[in-house]
Amino acid sequence: MRSTMASFVRSTLAFLVVLLATTTAEVIDLRWDVHVNDAFGPSSSAQPVITINDKFPGPLINSTTNDIVRVNVFNNLDEPLLFTWNGIQQRLNSWQDGVSGTNCAIKPGTNWTYAFVVKDQIGTFTYFPSINYQKLAGGFGPIRVNNRIVINVPFPKPQAEFDLLIGDWSFTDYKTIRSRLEASTEVPDMILINGKAPYGYSTSKPYESVGVTKGKTYRFRVSNVGSTLSFNFRIQNHKMVVVETEGSYTNQITLDSLDVHVGQSYSVLVTADQDDADYYIVATPKMLNTTDDSPLVAKGVLHYTESGSRVSGSLPTGPDPWDIEFSVNQARSIR
Ligand SMILES: *[C@@H]1O[C@H](CO)[C@@H](O)[C@H](O)[C@H]1NC(C)=O
Ligand SMILES: *[C@@H]1O[C@H](CO)[C@@H](O)[C@H](O)[C@H]1NC(C)=O
Ligand SMILES: *[C@@H]1O[C@H](CO)[C@@H](O)[C@H](O)[C@H]1NC(C)=O
């Protein structure tokens, strides 16, 4: 009798746990209209850019552990389109992963709904088109998987979070690039931050600017959405604390600069602990010699709300771009 009672209690508890787990998960229903648009390029000349809901980069998928994400994609391109959700584990669900072979592309003029669960995951990820070199033309965007409210996060809640999608960019039409066999050896033209050209590059196009308040701490989710170049990320006069990468919290190390390779994502905490002013956010390519005014040096602005001045001084210096040991040692120190 007692054991029947105990097993009843156990199964009831198990049922309640399952119920609790399923009731806290939300369904995130998204509709994406994917187009090619000539007006979204980072420079003043027209070039085809892949936009989602008229955005480049695409919209944030802001999910929480165990949420169900459903993305109804309308392909308005003139060719097949396939999205991949880089780093989302797709347990028993590999046909939603959006890579050629497990998943058919969406035909032009039709729509298809991806559905997946961000099961037991946290962290910073990106999505992008996985076939036909389309990623060279955009179509990428940020994915956040936030902790459930009941889970302790190993650092204080930041004042705000910013997604910084940084990556190399070419002014050549992506269809032209893919038609050339030597595509992979071409040096890109620029490095963009959130789809925007470097500060000072163009008067007609915006640069990326991030607003912060003195004394507060912010989480930057930095991803390399490029195709060729690794970069070194740093902020003038500010340090950063690495807290998360690729879906795991890390040992918290304080850095002056951070190397991010193609496809990688990191979260760093940055405290606005300097005088009210504007500061450079830069990303310089690895394995290339560049000068500060090169479009291959991405430049954004960290803008303090009370700042009355523009960015000034020289760009923050980083490691020698050819110093592979720096890169390897830094990667080894992050666990
Ligand atoms: C993302 O979702 C979290 C949890 O629901 C919420 O607190 C946060 O404000 C959302 N952020 C954005 C940018 O929508
Ligand atoms: C296409 O979109 C419609 C809504 O506009 C939706 O009802 C339908 O399920 C979608 N088709 C697929 C295959 O996802
Ligand atoms: C890059 O610059 C360094 C130091 O100025 C120089 O030694 C090296 O030859 C340059 N490399 C290339 C590929 O230009």
Side-chain angles (χ1 to χ4, degrees):
M1 189 62 194
R2 184 167 291 169
S3 75
T4 321
M5 190 61 192
S7 93
F8 172 74
V9 168
R10 264 202 306 274
S11 55
T12 310
L13 274 178
F15 174 73
L16 281 177
V17 167
V18 169
L19 191 72
L20 215 62
T22 45
T23 48
T24 55
E26 283 187 38
V27 179
I28 300 178
D29 260 313
L30 303 170
R31 179 195 161 116
W32 283 3
D33 288 291
V34 184
H35 283 96
V36 167
N37 194 316
D38 278 348
F40 278 77
S43 80
S44 43
S45 39
Q47 81 171 112
V49 172
I50 297 176
T51 62
I52 301 171
N53 299 347
D54 290 327
K55 284 192 161 79
F56 168 61
L60 167 69
I61 298 181
N62 184 33
S63 64
T64 299
T65 308
N66 297 340
D67 280 355
I68 299 160
V69 180
R70 288 201 300 236
V71 191
N72 190 358
V73 177
F74 288 74
N75 177 11
N76 300 294
L77 310 187
D78 59 4
E79 57 183 16
L81 170 68
L82 186 60
F83 277 106
T84 190
W85 321 93
N86 189 24
I88 302 300
Q89 290 171 1
Q90 308 289 7
R91 299 187 189 173
L92 301 177
N93 201 26
S94 60
W95 54 89
Q96 299 286 339
D97 196 29
V99 287
S100 193
T102 54
N103 210 179
C104 293
I106 306 168
K107 286 193 196 125
T110 67
N111 69 297
W112 195 71
T113 307
Y114 291 90
F116 54 87
V117 182
V118 289
K119 181 74 185 147
D120 298 337
Q121 289 193 258
I122 57 99
T124 305
F125 308 98
T126 56
Y127 59 82
F128 54 85
S130 65
I131 55 170
N132 289 338
Y133 290 80
Q134 287 159 350
K135 184 190 180 193
L136 292 175
F140 48 75
I143 304 176
R144 297 183 194 168
V145 185
N146 304 298
N147 268 100
R148 292 193 300 131
I149 210 94
V150 294
I151 303 290
N152 281 325
V153 177
F155 47 87
K157 190 172 163 53
Q159 180 71 11
E161 302 191 11
F162 301 107
D163 307 289
L164 293 183
L165 302 193
I166 303 177
D168 52 74
W169 184 262
S170 178
F171 293 141
T172 311
D173 180 335
Y174 72 104
K175 289 185 180 174
T176 308
I177 294 180
R178 84 174 172 222
S179 69
R180 292 188 201 145
L181 287 173
E182 72 274 25
S184 59
T185 63
E186 275 180 40
V187 177
D189 296 307
M190 200 175 245
I191 296 185
L192 310 182
I193 303 181
N194 288 340
K196 294 174 184 138
Y199 173 85
Y201 176 77
S202 163
T203 48
S204 60
K205 291 279 186 167
Y207 54 89
E208 185 60 338
S209 176
V210 173
V212 296
T213 302
K214 188 174 160 72
K216 306 285 188 201
T217 298
Y218 298 84
R219 178 174 181 172
F220 287 79
R221 295 174 183 256
V222 183
S223 299
N224 186 334
V225 291
S227 302
T228 315
L229 298 174
S230 297
F231 61 74
N232 178 266
F233 172 81
R234 47 195 191 268
I235 303 176
Q236 191 181 22
N237 292 8
H238 290 75
K239 292 195 179 292
M240 56 189 108
V241 181
V242 178
V243 292
E244 178 259 335
T245 183
E246 311 292 319
S248 297
Y249 293 120
T250 61
N251 56 331
Q252 298 183 2
I253 54 173
T254 304
L255 300 175
D256 292 314
S257 75
L258 174 68
D259 276 1
V260 187
H261 305 285
V262 171
Q264 286 189 322
S265 296
Y266 284 95
S267 290
V268 295
L269 299 181
V270 176
T271 300
D273 56 5
Q274 298 296 304
D275 294 337
D276 278 312
D278 283 7
Y279 299 89
Y280 285 113
I281 298 172
V282 304
T284 49
K286 309 294 291 186
M287 315 294 279
L288 270 185
N289 286 345
T290 49
T291 55
D292 284 358
D293 56 0
S294 164
L296 281 168
V297 173
K299 299 179 202 78
V301 171
L302 185 74
H303 170 73
Y304 280 50
T305 43
E306 300 296 319
S307 164
S309 56
R310 299 194 158 220
V311 279
S312 61
S314 47
L315 299 186
T317 52
D320 177 345
W322 299 90
D323 185 352
I324 295 171
E325 211 169 315
F326 169 88
S327 224
V328 170
N329 287 340
Q330 184 176 76
R332 284 209 181 119
S333 69
I334 299 169
R335 291 184 305 276

